[in-house]
Amino acid sequence: MKTIIQNGTIVTATDIYKADILIENGVISGISSHYAAAPDANVIDASGQYVFPGGIDVHTHLAWPFQSTGTADDFVSGTRAAAAGGITSIINFTNPKKGQTLLDNLQEWKKKGESSLIDYGFHSIISEYNDHVLEELPILADKEGVTSIKLFMAYKGELMVNDREMYKILKKAGEAGIITNVHAENGDIIDELIAESLAKGNTEPIYHAYTRPPITESEATGRALAIAEAAKAPIYIVHVSCADALQKVAEAKKRGVQVTAETCPHYLVLDESYLELQNFESGKYVCSPPLREKWNQEHLWNGIAAGQISTVGSDHCPFLFEGQKTLGRDNFAKIPNGVPGLEDIFSIVYHFGVNEGRISLQKFVEVLSTGPAKTFGLYPKKGSIGIGFDADLVLFNPNVSRVITHKKQYQNVDYNLYEGTEVKGTITLVLSRGEVIVRDGYVIGEQGRGKFLFRNKVSKVQSTVSAM
Ligand code: DUC
Ligand code: ZN
Ligand code: ZN
Ligand code: ZN
């Protein structure tokens, strides 16, 4: 069966044009000014709508054990939420058990991934350095198509690695064609600031922000970039939240460091004042790095427009308010760090970015699809609309508004960060490899249809920089 999408406005990272799309066997087989309806074709009318490449969210924590609890979405609820929100591929973090090899750990995560509705890959987290880890890296890339790993510079005792370990891992990863994600916060200073704060009886959620000030992020960002430079390896800085850290990225790019930077919707739209909401509503907004003073947002948007930031990832790390976030009612340090966001990333970036004039339509596609695909070895299979690409497509009506509410979400959380926010633009149809998986807000695709993404090696980070 063929599918023809007629009369839509196709948007890629470089172009906007009206054309019809022909899909055969899940792949885009033609783009033309017109394809006539045929008896053997399923025809979709996209008049008045944008046709975007499916979103690629490279920062998700589905089914993730963390801080003595675990995230509220698994691969069933999480990938349904993703699909509903226009995301057709995710790359999720693994979480290794102490003493387990990366390869054994990956097999466990691939099993979990089998219930996915959309296509999925993994970044292998390395939290325990040993020589075996180094030996496994080339196998991970060559045999498993896992071409990215993740290191943490915070969460000592649970995830943190030291500088020497980082250097050795980055160096070997770079040689193996693997890009290293880095969570850049100075864990030692933060642990001391938390201890000082609690000793003074400062236990409210706002102290989460005060004990993780921008200097702890910018210092670690600068250090991570220096380590990557010394190791001559590509590096991906996850969740850049503030102007000072972004400045470190800009300086490193100037020196020729192979760095790609990501920010998240919550840093673009929400600010530190949410951590002062009454009745512990503030607990809902605790994530790391923390929400920042509002003036940082303009720097992040400008960073996207100028190409310093190449991707927006959700950092979807959902915890229930009742029973999980409330663990820290009397002590901010016990609030699990993380916020939900996968279902709304597309809407939020479109509304506050494109609608409000901060970025172009092409830039929107670049940071949500093309940039992530190029950075993580999925391009040119995913990440654009062109002949030979998977038919992962989002039909979007820019003239219909919707109000975001947790009452109408697929993600398994009892709240939404953007509750009550009206966003202009609504997803009407989502296709994954040519199959309609979401129609008018309803997920109709079957669980388990998602495929594991065997990714290309990342020998050199391809620049996704372009003007606004
Ligand atoms: N930050 C979060 O908010 N959650 C997961 C881990 C992290 O780094
Ligand atoms: Zn036509
Ligand atoms: Zn992180
Ligand atoms: Zn994260």
Side-chain angles (χ1 to χ4, degrees), residues 104-120:
D104 284 349
N105 181 255
L106 179 67
Q107 302 321 315
E108 286 182 13
W109 280 89
K110 281 172 87 172
K111 264 257 155 306
K112 297 187 201 202
E114 282 173 8
S115 57
S116 288
L117 173 73
I118 57 167
D119 295 348
Y120 58 95

Side-chain angles (χ1 to χ4, degrees), residues 227-381:
I227 295 170
E229 186 172 3
K232 300 188 176 63
I235 185 169
Y236 182 86
I237 304 290
V238 298
H239 52 46
V240 173
S241 75
C242 61
D244 293 354
L246 182 58
Q247 179 62 28
K248 298 289 181 187
V249 171
E251 288 165 14
K253 275 187 189 269
K254 254 195 196 143
R255 305 198 299 273
V257 179
Q258 283 185 40
V259 54
T260 307
E262 169 199 89
T263 192
C264 311
H266 38 285
Y267 301 121
L268 290 167
V269 173
L270 306 173
D271 64 71
E272 195 181 89
S273 66
Y274 285 81
L275 293 172
E276 294 181 289
L277 292 175
Q278 295 304 299
N279 302 322
F280 195 62
E281 285 290 298
S282 47
K284 296 176 177 175
Y285 294 88
V286 167
C287 58
S288 294
L291 298 177
R292 302 298 189 188
E293 288 177 6
K294 195 163 182 62
W295 60 269
N296 287 282
Q297 292 172 3
E298 189 189 330
H299 290 259
L300 297 177
W301 283 113
N302 291 343
I304 291 175
Q308 302 290 4
I309 292 174
S310 309
T311 65
V312 180
S314 68
D315 199 0
H316 183 75
C317 190
F319 298 102
L320 297 171
F321 178 67
E322 288 298 340
Q324 291 194 294
K325 288 292 190 179
T326 51
L327 292 169
R329 216 181 250 288
D330 303 318
N331 176 353
F332 72 87
K334 292 190 176 154
I335 304 171
N337 290 193
V339 290
L342 160 89
E343 194 162 346
D344 300 302
I345 181 173
F346 211 86
S347 297
I348 290 291
V349 179
Y350 180 85
H351 181 76
F352 290 96
V354 179
N355 255 346
E356 298 201 343
R358 295 183 175 97
I359 57 170
S360 67
L361 266 174
Q362 294 96 316
K363 188 56 93 174
F364 167 74
V365 167
E366 187 177 319
V367 294
L368 276 181
S369 188
T370 315
K374 285 185 173 175
T375 305
F376 289 104
L378 289 171
Y379 197 87
K381 180 178 161 69

Side-chain angles (χ1 to χ4, degrees), residues 7 20 33-35:
N7 306 320
D20 292 359
S33 58
H34 183 66
Y35 286 111

Side-chain angles (χ1 to χ4, degrees), residues 59 61 150 152 155 183 238-239 288-289 315:
H59 193 150
H61 296 267
K150 166 104 182 256
F152 286 80
Y155 305 115
H183 173 119
V238 298
H239 52 46
S288 294
D315 199 0

Side-chain angles (χ1 to χ4, degrees), residues 100-103 126 128-142 149 151 161 164-178 180 231:
Q100 190 183 39
T101 66
L102 294 181
L103 290 161
I126 301 175
E128 199 180 24
Y129 176 82
N130 54 52
D131 291 340
H132 295 296
V133 158
L134 297 186
E135 287 159 21
E136 285 188 284
L137 290 177
I139 308 169
L140 212 56
D142 293 332
I149 55 170
L151 302 176
V161 290
R164 187 171 183 173
E165 292 166 345
M166 274 184 77
Y167 170 79
K168 290 206 261 190
I169 294 167
L170 267 148
K171 186 173 166 203
K172 188 74 185 194
E175 288 164 5
I178 289 174
T180 303

Side-chain angles (χ1 to χ4, degrees), residues 188-203 207 210-211 332:
D188 280 320
I189 296 181
I190 288 167
D191 287 345
E192 183 55 24
L193 292 175
I194 292 172
E196 282 175 18
S197 182
L198 295 178
K200 285 188 215 146
N202 294 330
T203 57
Y207 290 98
Y210 296 164
T211 55
F332 72 87

